[in-house]
Amino acid sequence: MAKDEIQRTYRLIGTRPDRPDGLDKVTGRARYGADVSAPGMLHGAVLRSPHAHARILRIDASKALALPGVKAVVTRADFPTGLTGEDWNLQENTIAGEVALYDGHAVAAVAATSRLIAQDALRLIAVDYEILPHVTDVDAAMRPDAPAIRPGAADHSVPEGLHPNVVKYIDFGHGDLEAGFAAADLVREQSYTTEATHQGYIEPHACLGQLGADGKGEMWVCTQGHWYIRRMAAAVLGIEAAQLRVTPSEIGGGFGGKTTIFIEPLALALSRKAGGRPVKMVMSRAEVFRATGPTASAAMKVRIGMKKDGTLTAGQAEFRMQGGAFPGAPVSSALYCAFASYAIPAVAHVGYDVLTNRPKCAAYRAPGSPMAAFAVESLIDEMCRELGLDPLEVRLKNAVREGTKSSYGPTYGPIGLVQSLQAAQAHPNLSVPLGPNQGRGVAAGFWFNHGGETSVSLAIGEDGTVTVSVGTPDIGGSRASIALMTAETLGIAYENVRVNVVETGALGVNEPTHGSRATFASGKAAVIAARHAIAEMCRRAAAAWGIDPEAVDWQDGAAVPAGPNAGKFPPMPIAEIAARMGSTGGPISGHHEVTAGGVGASFGVHVVDVEVDPETGRTTVLRYLVVQDAGRAIHPAYVEGQYQGGAAQGIGWALNEEYIHDAEGRLLNPVFLDYRVPVASDLPMIDTVIVEVPNPGHPYGVRGVGETGITPPLPALANAIAAATGARLRSLPMSPPKVLAAIRAQRGG
Amino acid sequence: MRYHRPESFEDAVAIAAGSGGTTRFLAGGTDVLVQLRAGLVTPDDLIDLKHIPGVAEIVRTADGGWRIGIAVTGAQMGRHADLVRDWPGVVEGMQLVGSTQVQGRATPVGNLCNGSPAADSVPGLVAAGARVDILGPGGPRSLAVEEVPTGPGRTTLRPGEIITAITLPPRGAQAGDAYLRFTPRTEMDIAVVGVAVNLRLDGERIAAARIALGAVAPTVLLADAAAAAIIGTPLDDAALTALATAATAAANPISDKRGTADFRKEITGVLVRRAARIAYDRVQARTGIQQGEDK
Ligand SMILES: Cc1cc2nc3c(=O)[nH]c(=O)nc-3n(C[C@H](O)[C@H](O)[C@H](O)COP(=O)(O)OP(=O)(O)OC[C@H]3O[C@@H](n4cnc5c(N)ncnc54)[C@H](O)[C@@H]3O)c2cc1C
């Protein structure tokens, strides 16, 4: 039944039915992380370091424990010792050991009979700190006088003579760089910086954890990946993974930030200490900002060679990134993405992963790629202007296509960058005339996408309706897409398929919904699981008809004789087979598990028009276009939603979002009032064009679409602002004071 | 914490004066409840003023001005066509507070008494020459709006004193006002600078002006020198330049997470020119309409 060729016409794929979780979400019935409660539940709260870097001399919780209603206090002393590698990093980030490494680092946690008592108890815990010198900027952290945050944390990749805060060094490339630059008519080098930004999910982290003295536990949690929570929490607590059952709630956004642990092991440790009573923990927004993963901040130097006709001859990138007090800034993926959109004969990349006194960075939508795009796509734009070339034409001229060897190694399969550039050129937004102080910017972007460990089960119900069990939490409409693909494969109605996101006990290991993989990987596994069920249903029909199973086909939701030679039998619909399955051999189901391969990369092109107030430096986004290759848009509305969401987050990152620290390294803006993500009225309706170059690695041609969309906005905005004002901004955010200063400098110079 | 729901200002004053501890009045609650949840204040007595008869009304006074009750919300002001016609600048200050949802609760009195230098409705009220009526244990008194705040979170109200209404003077002919603020976002943001301008013309020329600057000093500033720079002029380019210079000089901002002192001064000059222009154009439009109605 395997299809060699990707089908082109579909009954359901490409339609836009209501999402199955929609009604629950708009009526408030959906249960998010903080909505779960249990009998006998306690409330947890976390005491956090008020210092950016401080040695913990003493923690005295005796007064807190004496407060009526307080049932447990945990510190690092309640966690096992001897962890290594990333497990140690996770444990250290969950609760500080000898040193608090950033403002907001957890130092102790309390469980009490009410949230208010828990909060009061925090104030009764006495901690003596010895304040240490701190550093929050990546370049400052590499200077000789910077405090060494964790001497010995560097791995073997780091050359001698670098500051101990440099924990990883990367160096790769191909081609003859000197020859490449020599062949260019124009060589330019510039430096760029981007700020750390938070994923800004609306739902703060929340969980309910229960752990007994026997090491058996349960957890309900808002997460992108409950097997990750299970593995990480078990490692940090020293318990067995299989004894911890983790159930995901609905999720109010994650964007990569909910693929790791923060409060989860604390809730379990408190529960264990409180005699196994369940403990609920819900972060405040300030805790989310101070202690959960933003993305890295970056300092970047890029050098590019271009011929007069726009041909790129060489590219060189040096990226320095800080990802907080732990290794893990996405510097490798940033470098892999830097020149991934272009066929350049010679490229060289160097990267530094640097420790600072900031929270441990977490994944954020296409980790590293937006920063890389900001530097490379800005410089290409600048060079196009200098040479009087059309920026879209130059990108088309150099664009990677099927068969191009990528800047980071692999050779591309079928990809859609050329088609996306052409679709952008053809879009009506490109011919809207611009007025004074207005400018248009374009940029391209790339993300690899990911397959990953996947396990899916599908079961036929007694009435012929179908349940699909997946392990990837639904963040952006994946249940709708998986139901569409399953129904398409089985030849039944979309409404007859229910997709459930199930707990860790119900399936094999699933990686989180990350890497734009849920619709790709769980979808692919669901289709294969459906094919297994179809094969079994064909066998049941064959047995009933007394013919060979090979002589049965599946058509429009029913078993049919494969041809005239098979015999004359009326179609046997799924409902009929299901009604009798108990007496024909038992339940019918399908299952598939795999580390999904066949991933297809997604390219995108954004075009933005802005108006800049020359007297205040304030940028208004007038028009915004996202063009991106989806491979196949299973549910186009949710593909468009991903495109628009990526653009909206990128616009915030480009224009206003930043972490503001005081001189002591404390975060001054841990609230949405002062951490300025765009609000609805800041954005125009974002126009989208879905390009479809099917991915041969997926039965319906799907490539992931979730991440690429955040990649082009940073440079697209910078290029538009440059077009509007003549001033080139190479440092994010492009907030009004900085734009105004750049306009002034431009006029003065 | 004790919650009270008095039905007269006299009762409210008695409760407030009798409280030994921290008191807060509850109007819209969009400051108080947020501060309470964040643990910034935990009042001993929380006195809800919304159930006192008449507090949610906007009424025309005998002299032709307006009396705005202490529970009147921003949304209510925006829907009041006559008030909007007389004092568009006062109303637009409240209309910038938060979002549609916040404006359904937030009041100008709460905005004033919260004591934020960046409060959006205060510059417009100061420029308008608005006053507040006060009742306290020592009896009633009245203050100009600019006399109420003394610094971030502080006011001249004495223990037990309550504002019972805001009054706006009669608008009169050939007059108009405007409020502008600068924020990086379109809404849900705090003013980096706010500027209100209130003008009266005599023909083409400005006969009287009051200019108030927000978020550039510990309290909203009444910038007399800026007003003087345009009085007697037809708001030509020279006058606008002089106005910007005077307003920028009057501004005395700090640098904080929301903006540097230099940027705030610079923006003060930009906004004051723009707000003056809007107010001036409103006078002319209003005068045009009135003349049309007279015919
Ligand atoms: C999401 C959000 C966005 C916001 N955006 C803005 C904004 O853009 N601009 C802005 O200026 N503000 C903003 N605010 C702050 C707030 O909404 C305003 O200050 C509002 O006008 C306060 O009015 P209230 O009626 O809610 O006051 P309340 O919270 O009820 O009271 C505020 C203070 O006034 C005192 N008080 C109330 N009534 C009286 C009285 N009759 N006599 C004496 N004292 C009294 C109270 O004791 C309290 O200290 C925002 C708030 C939120 C939550």
Side-chain angles (χ1 to χ4, degrees), chain A residues 613 615-616 618 656 660 668-669 672-682 736-737 740 744, chain B residues 39 182-190 192 256-260 263 266-267 270-271 273-274:
Chain A
D613 184 332
E615 291 185 318
T616 65
R618 191 173 180 284
N656 284 310
I660 304 170
L668 290 173
N669 58 332
F672 276 134
L673 192 57
D674 293 309
Y675 180 86
R676 294 176 171 119
V677 302
V679 298
S681 53
D682 290 329
L740 191 59
R744 286 287 148 74
Chain B
F182 182 82
T183 55
R185 291 185 289 201
T186 45
E187 56 182 357
M188 297 299 285
D189 216 333
I190 300 290
V192 176
D256 67 8
K257 63 190 168 189
R258 297 190 179 127
T260 63
F263 183 69
E266 173 106 41
I267 298 300
V270 174
L271 290 195
R273 274 189 275 117
R274 293 181 182 178

Side-chain angles (χ1 to χ4, degrees), chain B residues 25 27-32 49 96 98 107 110-111 113 119-120 163 181 189:
Chain B
F25 298 107
T30 60
D31 280 316
V32 168
L49 303 176
L96 285 167
T107 66
N111 198 221
C113 295
D120 277 308
I163 293 179
R181 72 169 185 183
D189 216 333

